[in-house]
Amino acid sequence: MSTLLELLKDGRFHSGQALGQALGVSRSAIWKQLQLLEAELGLVIHKVRGRGYQLATPITLLSSAEIGRSSISSGSWDIRILDSTDSTNAQALRSIEEGSVAPFLVLAERQTVGRGRRGRKWVSPFAENIYYSLVLRMDGGLRQLEGLSLVVGLAVMHTLREYGIPGAGLKWPNDVLVGQKKVAGILLELVGDPADVCHVVLGIGINVNMQSAEEIDQEWTSVRLESGKVIDRNQLVARLNEVLVSYLERHRLNGFSAIQGEWEQGHLWQGRAVSLIAGVNKIDGVVLGIDRQGALRLSVEGEEKTYSGGELSLRLRDGS
């Protein structure tokens, strides 16, 4: 199926006979494969008698060779690209269990069960966005994990600013926004002993070329909508690799406290009145910033309190 996509990706018309000859199959076999592409990947394919078949929109597929050529930092990484998977984080976790040696990067053209924080669905159309899971081995104990998801968010934010979104900013703990609209999210997962040796999966989802998605239940945007340009996802992944490696090295050498101030400068909700949702409980306060471990600092009824944990959700209060 990926071979057929390679032939069609230019968005031009290709006759059934030419496609069949290229793949060494019959025209009826080509027709069946095209139906599968539409049904399984959600692609729109025009069929015009006398001209052949054409993708409604040209696509650029992810390529480990293209990414490697554009990214010195990821030159030693094993880059694995899947046409489709349940989620890149889930695939990364399975690969760890199977004995794959870190670091390695899992990318997918599509996710069927994309996940965000707190079990939320991450809408993942084919060949439009970036679904990215980098697996690292951590030998430094808990210090290497402090504020790590916030460090990843910083790397994503700066990469998107380079790609024509100067208004990209952070929302504690793991979102990148443009105004009130979400453009990227981070989901970290751990395997092993956090106090000794473990593997961490740095999961990143970025809305890149997506222009419509009825299934999303919150405000969202994409790099293309904000910049007005179709983005080469291979180049974006390569640049993200470079920026991420730089931030991870700073974090490894100096700890999160050395990056704390920079993160607060990028936090869009600094000084804003918010509600922190923890299960059925709601805490109202004003954002003061974060502490040296990346926990949220709130002023609650005049008293400073800190909050951390994977099941917390931050919302702006009305009028903030």
Side-chain angles (χ1 to χ4, degrees):
M1 193 181 299
S2 58
T3 305
L4 181 56
L5 267 178
E6 282 288 341
L7 296 172
L8 291 171
K9 68 181 184 180
D10 58 10
R12 298 174 181 174
F13 276 104
H14 298 264
S15 71
Q17 181 179 354
L19 293 172
Q21 289 175 345
L23 273 64
V25 298
S26 66
R27 292 177 65 178
S28 62
I30 291 294
W31 172 253
K32 290 177 182 178
Q33 288 193 37
L34 291 168
Q35 288 179 309
L36 282 174
L37 288 178
E38 289 186 303
E40 295 185 5
L41 303 183
L43 296 172
V44 177
I45 300 174
H46 297 315
K47 309 167 189 69
V48 178
R49 185 179 295 275
R51 301 191 69 185
Y53 307 101
Q54 176 195 50
L55 278 180
T57 303
I59 59 174
T60 300
L61 299 174
L62 293 170
S63 163
S64 56
E66 289 292 329
I67 295 168
R69 275 195 289 270
S70 303
S71 176
I72 297 173
S73 295
S74 59
S76 61
W77 296 353
D78 177 13
I79 301 177
R80 308 171 184 186
I81 299 174
L82 307 171
D83 284 342
S84 181
T85 188
D86 48 358
S87 83
T88 56
N89 266 30
Q91 179 58 46
L93 291 169
R94 287 192 292 268
S95 297
I96 295 169
E97 292 178 0
E98 293 164 0
S100 293
V101 178
F104 62 90
L105 174 61
V106 178
L107 299 166
E109 295 288 5
R110 182 183 74 140
Q111 297 181 127
T112 58
V113 195
R115 293 178 293 135
R117 288 184 65 246
R118 304 171 71 220
R120 287 177 174 162
K121 178 182 178 182
W122 187 274
V123 175
S124 310
F126 184 83
E128 292 189 10
N129 301 327
I130 288 174
Y131 320 117
Y132 175 117
S133 295
L134 175 62
V135 178
L136 301 174
R137 176 186 164 110
M138 292 289 183
D139 299 306
L142 290 172
R143 180 177 178 274
Q144 288 299 311
L145 300 174
E146 288 179 352
L148 185 58
S149 65
L150 279 68
V151 174
V152 176
L154 259 178
V156 174
M157 180 192 77
H158 281 292
T159 302
L160 296 184
R161 287 182 176 181
E162 289 183 16
Y163 269 76
I165 312 181
L170 302 164
K171 173 199 166 188
W172 187 91
N174 294 322
D175 291 341
V176 181
L177 308 179
V178 182
Q180 300 293 336
K181 299 178 180 179
K182 186 170 180 175
V183 68
I186 294 98
L187 177 65
L188 267 60
E189 298 186 84
L190 295 173
V191 178
D193 183 356
D196 185 17
V197 177
C198 68
H199 286 86
V200 59
V201 181
L202 310 182
I204 301 170
I206 303 176
N207 298 331
V208 182
N209 289 318
M210 187 166 66
Q211 298 189 87
S212 63
E214 296 178 358
E215 312 98 301
I216 301 179
D217 60 359
Q218 59 182 310
E219 288 190 274
W220 66 275
T221 189
S222 68
V223 184
R224 181 175 180 177
L225 288 174
E226 294 297 324
S227 67
K229 301 175 183 177
V230 177
I231 304 300
D232 185 319
R233 293 177 302 138
N234 288 306
Q235 292 183 6
L236 180 53
V237 169
R239 184 55 187 156
L240 174 60
N241 290 346
E242 296 286 329
V243 177
L244 185 56
V245 165
S246 175
Y247 271 101
L248 290 173
E249 182 65 8
R250 287 176 58 191
H251 181 256
R252 184 185 70 83
L253 293 174
N254 304 309
F256 180 71
S257 59
I259 306 173
Q260 174 186 354
E262 184 180 350
W263 192 94
E264 289 181 331
Q265 288 178 1
H267 192 206
L268 295 174
W269 291 8
Q270 203 77 358
R272 305 289 293 275
V274 298
S275 294
L276 184 66
I277 311 300
V280 297
N281 299 315
K282 185 178 77 167
I283 302 160
D284 291 336
V286 175
V287 176
L288 299 175
I290 53 174
D291 68 10
R292 294 166 67 90
Q293 287 76 44
L296 181 70
R297 298 166 48 237
L298 287 183
S299 173
V300 180
E301 296 180 347
E303 181 181 353
E304 180 175 327
K305 296 185 178 181
T306 59
Y307 301 90
S308 63
E311 298 303 316
L312 301 177
S313 178
L314 199 62
R315 301 175 186 171
L316 286 176
R317 297 214 311 264
D318 292 341
S320 174

